[in-house]
Amino acid sequence: MKNIVKNLISIVFYCSLGAITATLAQTSETSVQRSKQVSILFVGDVVLDDLPGKAIEQGEDPFAAFEKIFASADIRIANLECVVATTGKAAEKNFTFRAHPRVIPVLKKHFDAISLANNHSGDYGPTAFSEMLALLKEQKMAYFGGGNNLSEAHRPHIIEKNGMRIALLGYNEFMPRSFEANIHKAGVAWSEDEQVVRDINAARQQYKADIVIPFMHWGWENEMTANQRQRQLARIMIDAGADAVIGGHPHVIQDTETYKGKPIIYSIGNFMMDALDNEAQTLGWAVRLHLDQNGVKAWDTSIAKINPEGTPAPQSNTNSPCWNKTTGLKTSCENTQIP
């Protein structure tokens, strides 16, 4: 009888231990799922062909002042507003930008990927654009928003970080449209609405992305608020499944809004260039999104003030916009370098 009781006690003990172990394992798994968090930082137009390019040639790093702010994010993204090449012929337009290949290691030091979808990456023609793609691939500098053909230009760049898959798409919709990639020509991704929707769907379904963020090149220069086309397209992208929309090109900071609980930041302004026309063009944002598997839970900004040499410096004593999904309110936060 004693042996029977002893065996029953042992069975109950081990069953209870198994249940506790299973519960702890499940709790641990849930905790891991909840802890999936990533921060991603975007900066606006970066032109490296003139004074910033000469600084790099002389061994200087024009991004150095932002190193601490860059280090506060898991992922860093920029719009490269020039072609990087030694070949090609300048297009017939007011401004053409071509940087030397020596700038690529500096870009790679600070950024995880760059967008090529803009109105200057084609300034020296398809040959120079193709040279840039080859140089970037050779030095393992990731890019998106451009490619050797239409399919490659519209392919999302996938970044895996902290157990999450983040898809980045880049689009230009500012002339000249001749820079657009086609089936047989290298170039940038153009933002045809139907194609954008297909790309976002493909990022989710084909590439299994948890988060999808389009980085846009749109709007009119020097306008401080987004126009109707920007607002319309932003909504189309979020309706298609984008988690946030980040924009640039107007060379000034524009307004922001929230649509269906998802942030739209219409223009983050310039970040590095010396061809500036007015005071508003000397200011830009480094915007940092805080993500979990459900999307953007908050964003904050650091102001970049560009000097006459085209080099940005953070304005640590100035407050700038921030947003939290919990409150749904945009407020003003300390322009900080908090990790």
Side-chain angles (χ1 to χ4, degrees):
M1 185 66 179
K2 289 181 179 179
N3 289 335
I4 293 173
V5 172
K6 186 177 179 180
N7 289 337
L8 286 173
I9 291 172
S10 297
I11 292 169
V12 170
F13 173 76
Y14 285 112
C15 286
S16 298
L17 182 61
I20 291 169
T21 303
T23 301
L24 288 173
Q26 185 177 7
T27 302
S28 176
E29 184 179 351
T30 302
S31 177
V32 169
Q33 289 175 350
R34 288 177 181 171
S35 68
K36 288 183 180 179
Q37 296 186 24
V38 176
S39 57
I40 180 169
L41 181 145
F42 292 83
V43 299
D45 295 351
V46 172
V47 180
L48 298 175
D49 79 323
D50 198 1
L51 296 182
K54 290 177 182 176
I56 292 173
E57 183 180 6
Q58 294 166 5
E60 300 172 16
D61 183 350
F63 297 100
F66 265 81
E67 276 191 310
K68 288 184 179 179
I69 292 175
F70 290 161
S72 74
D74 298 311
I75 302 166
R76 294 147 293 273
I77 309 297
N79 172 58
L80 182 62
E81 185 89 342
C82 59
V83 66
V84 177
T86 57
T87 59
K89 180 181 178 182
E92 294 183 3
K93 52 192 300 230
N94 290 337
F95 299 98
T96 54
F97 303 134
R98 181 176 61 179
H100 191 276
R102 70 172 67 91
V103 307
I104 297 177
V106 180
L107 283 169
K108 187 176 178 182
K109 175 184 176 182
H110 294 288
F111 299 103
D112 297 280
I114 53 175
S115 175
L116 305 180
N118 59 68
N119 60 312
H120 284 288
S121 57
D123 278 355
Y124 282 75
T127 300
F129 192 92
S130 294
E131 181 190 354
M132 174 172 63
L133 298 182
L135 290 167
L136 294 173
K137 288 179 180 178
E138 179 184 317
Q139 299 197 40
K140 296 181 171 57
M141 178 73 247
Y143 63 85
F144 59 97
N148 285 299
N149 52 55
L150 185 68
S151 176
E152 186 177 311
H154 286 265
R155 184 183 305 154
H157 175 59
I158 302 293
I159 297 177
E160 295 193 51
K161 194 77 174 181
N162 298 348
M164 293 171 59
R165 287 175 62 83
I166 300 166
L168 299 172
L169 293 160
Y171 300 99
N172 177 47
E173 60 173 49
F174 195 85
M175 296 297 181
R177 191 162 179 175
S178 59
F179 292 174
E180 180 184 10
N182 62 34
I183 296 175
H184 303 294
K185 188 190 78 171
V188 304
W190 193 267
S191 55
E192 290 283 359
D193 294 4
E194 297 82 1
Q195 181 65 58
V196 170
V197 170
R198 285 196 294 270
D199 293 345
I200 292 171
N201 289 334
R204 292 281 188 197
Q205 298 168 14
Q206 181 180 345
Y207 292 89
K208 309 301 180 185
D210 301 301
I211 301 292
V212 181
I213 304 175
F215 193 10
M216 302 302 302
H217 208 72
W218 58 4
W220 295 105
E221 294 179 3
N222 296 312
E223 289 191 354
M224 306 297 286
T225 57
N227 61 38
Q228 184 177 357
R229 166 59 181 166
Q230 289 170 272
R231 297 182 193 280
Q232 174 197 37
L233 181 54
R235 284 161 173 73
I236 288 173
M237 291 186 288
I238 287 178
D239 287 339
D243 293 283
V245 179
I246 309 295
H249 170 70
H251 298 303
V252 294
I253 296 168
Q254 289 187 333
D255 55 313
T256 70
E257 63 178 309
T258 304
Y259 173 67
K260 293 186 174 180
K262 299 179 180 181
I264 304 168
I265 302 173
Y266 285 107
S267 175
I268 54 179
N270 295 324
F271 189 73
M272 183 173 291
M273 66 171 64
D274 56 17
L276 302 174
D277 297 332
N278 55 64
E279 182 64 20
Q281 291 187 3
T282 68
L283 297 175
W285 283 344
V287 60
R288 182 175 56 174
L289 308 183
H290 302 270
L291 313 170
D292 62 19
Q293 61 268 32
N294 298 314
V296 181
K297 61 179 186 176
W299 60 262
D300 51 45
T301 55
S302 295
I303 297 175
K305 172 68 174 176
I306 305 172
N307 66 22
E309 286 71 46
T311 302
Q315 303 298 288
S316 57
N317 296 323
T318 306
N319 287 0
S320 58
C322 57
W323 172 86
N324 188 299
K325 188 173 184 178
T326 302
T327 64
L329 299 175
K330 184 175 75 171
T331 58
S332 183
C333 297
E334 183 181 353
N335 193 321
T336 181
Q337 298 184 18
I338 292 177

